[in-house]
Amino acid sequence: MSISTLYLSASTNRFSQAAHISPASLLAFASSSLVALWHLSTGEDKGIHQTLQGHETLVTNVRFASEHLLVTADDKGFVICWRKIGDQWIRTIRTQAHLQSISSICIFGDCLVTGSSDATVKVWKIENEGDSGNIDQLVERQTILQGNRYPLALALSWLPQSRAMILAVSGTDKNVNIWLRSSDDSFVHSASLAGHEDWVRSLVFRSPLTEGQPLILASGSQDATIRLWNIEKYARDLSQQFTTSGELSDELLDTFEASLGDIGDAEEGGRQISLKRHILTIRGEESSIQQFSVTFDALLIGHEAGITSLAWRPAEKLDPTPTLLSTSIDSSVILWSPSTVLTRTEDESNTMWINRQRFGDVGGQRFGGFVGGVWKENGNEAFAWETWDEHGAISGHRGPVKGLAWSPGGEYLISTGLDQTTRIHAPISEKGIDGRNWHELVRPQVHGYDLLDAAFLTPLKFISIADEKTVRVFEAPKSFVDLAEALHITQFAGDEHRRPIAANVPPLGLSNRPVADLSWLSIPGCISDYSRRPFESELAGTTLWLEIEKVFGHGYELITLGISTSRHLIATACKATTPDHAVIRIYNAATFRPVGQPLPGHSLTITRIRFSPNDRYILSVSRDRTWRLFELQENNGKYIPVAADKSHGRIIWDCAWSMEGDVFATASRDKSVKIWQQSDGKWIASATIKVDFAATAVDFAPLNAHNVRILAVGLETGEIALYTNMPESNDWQLVLKDLIRSVHMGHINRLAWCPKINGDSMDFASCSDDGTLRILKFQGDYV
């Protein structure tokens, strides 16, 4: 059997340095404790193709040192180096660099600088050893204490026409501090650049393209401004004289002030501060003295809130004009570049920076604005994360993914998460792109509570539960029907097109309401092109489904739901600490009215409800370590309790029926999965599968053409184990151990086999507390 990844949905962590692009146009970004990789140069919109597992906590920084070396850091102070060996990224070193979260890293050649909330900045040298080049070492060279300040941003570069290194450090003191290093010596503090009125959160150098150009440092602050500083070689010229009118020129005043310091007495790192200029002094080759000036060049004002990141456009020979990308929490992205403006004298000119392009929803606060942005290596595309990118976004839940379910025919998949969104994902066939690639199709529900689970009643209707007492029912608008057909996902009957065109949330409302007229098409961000997948701005605002019903009944917040195989019944359960609330309530899926009395038996919260394939039984498992079985009475259409067991030693997290309905499985924290089968009218444990960690999710695949039963088991560590069985045997064999065990990095919440079998292949979905949703394709003998 072979396994391939069809889809990996993951969001970007909310850190300004959470993403970076390699010289080979490979985008790496932090997603929870994972590092996700996305090829941008293939021409195919396949999204994430791989994740790197090595961090145990939230990844805060991602930076490429070269095409083959990636450095990442996390909020526990660990730094990991990844080196590309062949086609694989291998973790070569994991080092505890700081005692607290790493807030920023920068790399220049073999020099790595890290800044942490432990109020230190450390300088490291990356050394590579071994014949195969797969052994890295981080050697600490210097520790710079920040006192009572926390470093937030770092930047490294060469000084112009020099082999001396300049380090810029900014943080919570409003200043940009300049440090210099000659050859292999330590960095020496050389200047403090004042001017910002709030924390400086981003620094970035632009190296000169030609010998006469200055090194430019851009600094972005929470005061909503960007400051540009020119750093260039300084040569004093005292030949200037007073003007004929007897007035002093600005140039002469600057020269006079700079000349007050004797270059022979200046120490390395020493500085002389003038009204316009900071003078930096270093010792060059053979103890020669070199001086550099730092001057404030421009103040860029255009954002309405704090600056979160800055990035210079990669220099091109065809277009050497410097262009600066800035992102802000005001939900905008601005591209800045200089405009040459003539002064009063025809032979002089000054440079004025202007706003060339502005993107985003100015003043909007949909997701707290843009957190970061990067350029693609060719400089023709820019990527920003956390809000939207109008050229295909990185899409995924921003937190643990709690529930998922396939549509009745397996055409698409719905997921829910603690980011309070419900998302539908589908394989899309887009114009100009070969094959079908999975993407987020719509975001039908954006809620005010953490969403826990969802299930389809029909292909165009689903129910969801959240951390509240209400079951909500949603129905698709016409825009979804048109989009699904245009992208060749599925086809619907003609009468399914007769429905409201879209849904929105009224200004003072709390529920999605229908939009029946074509004025919806004029709403900013609405889907205007059905030949491509929706962009993030469209997903976030104009792909809502209509909320058509609310179902009440429970006294506490809902925790799980189940749908009958016929999709005529809904079963729900809520949080409970007493038997009175640890009940299952059954509702008619057409009228949403209660069916019979609540089903009692459990004493604590019910964690999962599953109907048998023929709807004869309802199976429930609970925190009270028991499972219970309720059987349908044909004479009155009600369910009554018929069996129960308490052989598990810890909480039972999940349960599942085989597609044939003759056996079911229970997964427990006691590190076991039990298979239950009816014998002589009683349900007995016919097999017990021991696993290495707590079993948290379980699901059976449809019986295949080879008459092999497949059971998937998810563990609290993020691993997935696959077992096979012949229906006439009680022996379960572990298969594909090395291929699929390390799929997630956190507690697996749900597993689901696609109900549709495509010849000798099956699709399989999983979701986890690590914030990712994955779809795997199984193909081969077992399938």
Side-chain angles (χ1 to χ4, degrees):
M1 180 186 286
S2 63
I3 303 173
S4 58
T5 300
L6 293 179
Y7 180 53
L8 203 166
S9 171
S11 64
T12 312
N13 293 344
R14 290 187 62 88
F15 298 99
S16 61
Q17 294 189 26
H20 202 218
I21 297 180
S22 76
S25 293
L26 175 65
L27 175 64
F29 67 92
S31 180
S32 186
S33 60
L34 303 171
V35 179
L37 303 180
W38 179 9
H39 276 302
L40 302 175
S41 59
T42 61
E44 298 181 3
D45 192 12
K46 290 187 175 181
I48 305 166
H49 71 279
Q50 183 183 357
T51 57
L52 307 181
Q53 301 179 2
H55 290 280
E56 297 178 355
T57 56
L58 206 63
V59 180
T60 59
N61 291 263
V62 175
R63 280 295 177 269
F64 280 100
S66 67
E67 182 179 339
H68 300 284
L69 179 61
L70 175 66
V71 180
T72 59
D74 62 34
D75 65 354
K76 293 296 184 182
F78 283 91
V79 171
I80 293 181
C81 291
W82 311 84
R83 190 167 290 275
K84 189 175 182 181
I85 308 296
D87 294 330
Q88 298 295 321
W89 286 90
I90 307 300
R91 189 181 79 178
T92 58
I93 189 171
R94 181 173 184 261
T95 300
Q96 176 88 56
H98 293 271
L99 298 179
Q100 297 184 32
S101 174
I102 296 178
S103 55
S104 181
I105 63 174
C106 65
I107 307 172
F108 196 76
D110 62 355
C111 181
L112 168 67
V113 182
T114 60
S116 167
S117 56
D118 63 8
T120 64
V121 172
K122 292 187 178 182
V123 182
W124 309 78
K125 184 177 180 181
I126 303 175
E127 296 182 351
N128 183 252
E129 301 177 356
D131 297 334
S132 59
N134 61 353
I135 301 176
D136 288 308
Q137 286 188 346
L138 286 181
V139 180
E140 185 177 344
R141 302 293 298 273
Q142 184 181 358
T143 298
I144 302 173
L145 301 179
Q146 298 294 296
N148 58 354
R149 304 183 301 272
Y150 295 156
L152 299 177
L154 305 167
L156 273 172
S157 182
W158 296 119
L159 282 169
Q161 305 174 47
S162 168
R163 298 306 293 174
M165 192 169 289
I166 179 171
L167 168 65
V169 182
S170 66
T172 56
D173 64 345
K174 307 179 186 178
N175 294 331
V176 178
N177 292 288
I178 301 298
W179 297 71
L180 300 181
R181 186 181 79 177
S182 301
S183 63
D184 291 331
D185 297 335
S186 298
F187 281 98
V188 178
H189 187 257
S190 301
S192 291
L193 309 181
H196 285 293
E197 299 177 355
D198 206 336
W199 295 359
V200 181
R201 303 195 68 93
S202 183
L203 296 171
V204 59
F205 281 111
R206 184 183 190 271
S207 299
L209 297 182
T210 61
E211 185 173 325
Q213 292 181 336
L215 174 69
I216 304 176
L217 171 64
S219 59
S221 168
Q222 289 187 170
D223 63 11
T225 67
I226 301 167
R227 289 177 175 261
L228 301 183
W229 313 83
N230 285 346
I231 304 168
E232 51 197 333
K233 203 163 186 179
Y234 179 65
R236 295 181 301 171
D237 184 2
L238 302 180
S239 62
Q240 299 187 52
Q241 301 296 328
F242 291 102
T243 60
T244 56
S245 61
E247 296 177 354
L248 293 176
S249 66
D250 290 342
E251 289 80 8
L252 185 57
L253 286 172
D254 292 340
T255 303
F256 172 75
E257 205 166 55
S259 69
L260 294 178
D262 187 356
I263 191 172
D265 297 332
E267 297 180 354
E268 183 176 0
R271 59 194 184 279
Q272 301 161 9
I273 301 176
S274 70
L275 296 176
K276 291 186 176 181
R277 180 176 288 123
H278 299 262
I279 304 301
L280 312 178
T281 303
I282 66 167
R283 294 192 182 276
E285 297 179 356
E286 298 180 355
S287 299
S288 62
I289 299 298
Q290 291 180 298
Q291 286 191 322
F292 297 84
S293 67
V294 182
T295 56
F296 170 64
D297 181 57
L299 177 66
L300 309 186
I301 300 176
H303 287 291
E304 299 177 357
I307 309 299
T308 53
S309 75
L310 301 171
W312 289 104
R313 181 184 182 187
E316 289 187 336
K317 294 182 179 179
L318 298 179
D319 184 11
T321 304
T323 301
L324 179 67
L325 179 150
S326 63
T327 63
S328 169
I329 59 176
D330 68 358
S331 296
S332 68
V333 176
I334 296 181
L335 303 183
W336 309 84
S337 61
S339 174
T340 302
V341 180
L342 292 179
T343 60
R344 284 176 293 182
T345 57
E346 294 183 359
D347 59 342
E348 293 181 348
S349 64
N350 291 327
T351 299
M352 182 175 68
W353 287 74
I354 62 174
N355 177 342
R356 292 287 187 181
Q357 295 283 342
R358 188 183 191 109
F359 306 99
D361 181 12
V362 178
Q365 298 294 327
R366 183 172 295 132
F367 287 118
F370 288 101
V371 173
V374 294
W375 288 94
K376 193 173 177 181
E377 284 303 308
N378 59 16
N380 293 327
E381 297 178 10
F383 294 83
W385 53 93
E386 283 303 332
T387 305
W388 65 82
D389 175 1
E390 293 298 325
H391 187 63
I394 297 170
S395 179
H397 287 281
R398 295 174 176 87
V401 186
K402 303 301 287 187
L404 58 82
W406 292 92
S407 63
E411 299 89 356
Y412 37 87
L413 182 78
I414 192 169
S415 63
T416 58
L418 298 190
D419 62 351
Q420 303 182 350
T421 65
T422 298
R423 303 169 187 240
I424 292 179
H425 317 259
I428 294 172
S429 178
E430 295 184 81
K431 183 179 180 181
I433 298 178
D434 296 334
R436 295 167 66 85
N437 298 320
W438 279 83
H439 293 289
E440 184 179 343
L441 183 64
V442 294
R443 202 167 296 167
Q445 182 185 9
V446 179
H447 203 37
Y449 295 91
D450 294 347
L451 283 154
L452 302 179
D453 206 356
F456 282 99
L457 295 177
T458 72
L460 296 174
K461 185 185 297 185
F462 74 86
I463 62 173
S464 70
I465 61 169
D467 193 19
E468 58 174 349
K469 303 174 185 178
T470 308
V471 179
R472 298 177 184 268
V473 186
F474 294 85
E475 191 166 21
K478 184 177 183 297
S479 59
F480 173 82
V481 174
D482 295 340
L483 180 65
E485 292 185 338
L487 296 178
H488 308 289
I489 297 170
T490 187
Q491 295 292 318
F492 298 100
D495 58 349
E496 297 289 9
H497 292 260
R498 293 190 290 272
R499 55 184 62 234
I501 188 171
N504 66 3
V505 180
L508 299 179
L510 298 175
S511 300
N512 304 347
R513 296 305 180 197
V515 177
D517 56 70
L518 295 179
S519 64
W520 176 77
L521 296 175
S522 63
I523 298 176
C526 74
I527 300 177
S528 57
D529 185 359
Y530 284 175
S531 66
R532 56 158 175 80
R533 65 184 177 102
F535 292 153
E536 180 68 16
S537 60
E538 298 163 341
L539 290 170
T542 60
T543 61
L544 295 173
W545 285 25
L546 292 74
E547 184 175 331
I548 61 173
E549 190 69 56
K550 296 181 179 69
V551 183
F552 302 92
H554 288 283
Y556 290 98
E557 292 82 359
L558 296 172
I559 198 71
T560 188
L561 63 82
I563 297 292
S564 65
T565 307
S566 64
R567 303 187 188 274
H568 293 159
L569 297 175
I570 302 169
T572 60
C574 71
K575 297 177 182 178
T577 56
T578 64
D580 291 341
H581 293 283
V583 297
I584 300 171
R585 294 181 181 272
I586 311 295
Y587 300 91
N588 185 295
T591 64
F592 304 107
R593 300 288 185 183
V595 176
Q597 295 297 314
L599 305 181
H602 291 289
S603 58
L604 295 174
T605 300
I606 296 171
T607 55
R608 194 77 159 100
I609 303 171
R610 299 295 292 266
F611 283 83
S612 64
N614 59 4
D615 292 338
R616 179 181 175 183
Y617 296 104
I618 294 178
L619 171 65
S620 62
V621 293
S622 168
R623 286 183 173 273
D624 64 11
R625 308 178 184 182
T626 69
W627 61 258
R628 294 186 178 272
L629 209 58
F630 304 87
E631 187 175 11
L632 178 66
Q633 303 300 296
E634 295 182 357
N635 57 347
N636 58 15
K638 298 179 181 179
Y639 286 89
I640 63 170
V642 293
D645 183 88
K646 196 178 181 179
S647 58
H648 278 293
R650 303 292 297 276
I651 178 178
I652 305 176
W653 282 117
D654 200 7
C655 60
W657 287 92
S658 69
M659 295 302 174
E660 301 72 46
D662 58 330
V663 299
F664 66 84
T666 55
S668 170
R669 185 182 282 173
D670 65 6
K671 302 181 182 180
S672 72
V673 175
K674 293 183 180 292
I675 310 299
W676 302 87
Q677 190 169 11
Q678 196 170 28
S679 176
D680 297 329
K682 296 182 179 180
W683 290 87
I684 61 171
S686 59
T688 298
I689 300 173
K690 294 293 184 179
V691 291
D692 296 332
F693 302 95
T696 59
V698 65
D699 197 44
F700 284 93
L703 193 65
N704 59 29
H706 302 285
N707 201 36
V708 175
R709 186 143 48 196
I710 303 175
L711 174 68
V713 179
L715 308 181
E716 66 176 355
T717 56
E719 300 177 28
I720 296 176
L722 209 65
Y723 297 86
T724 60
N725 162 262
M726 303 299 288
E728 64 276 5
S729 169
N730 292 327
D731 186 25
W732 290 84
Q733 299 293 328
L734 176 65
V735 296
L736 304 176
K737 177 180 179 180
D738 297 328
L739 291 180
I740 66 168
R741 292 208 65 149
S742 297
V743 176
H744 293 280
M745 282 290 291
H747 181 117
I748 292 181
N749 294 312
R750 196 61 53 85
L751 304 175
W753 292 90
C754 181
K756 179 172 61 176
I757 299 178
N758 300 312
D760 63 346
S761 68
M762 286 191 300
D763 296 343
F764 171 77
S766 61
C767 64
S768 166
D769 276 353
D770 65 8
T772 64
L773 164 69
R774 297 171 185 256
I775 299 178
L776 303 178
K777 181 179 182 180
F778 291 81
Q779 190 168 6
D781 295 339
Y782 292 109
V783 178

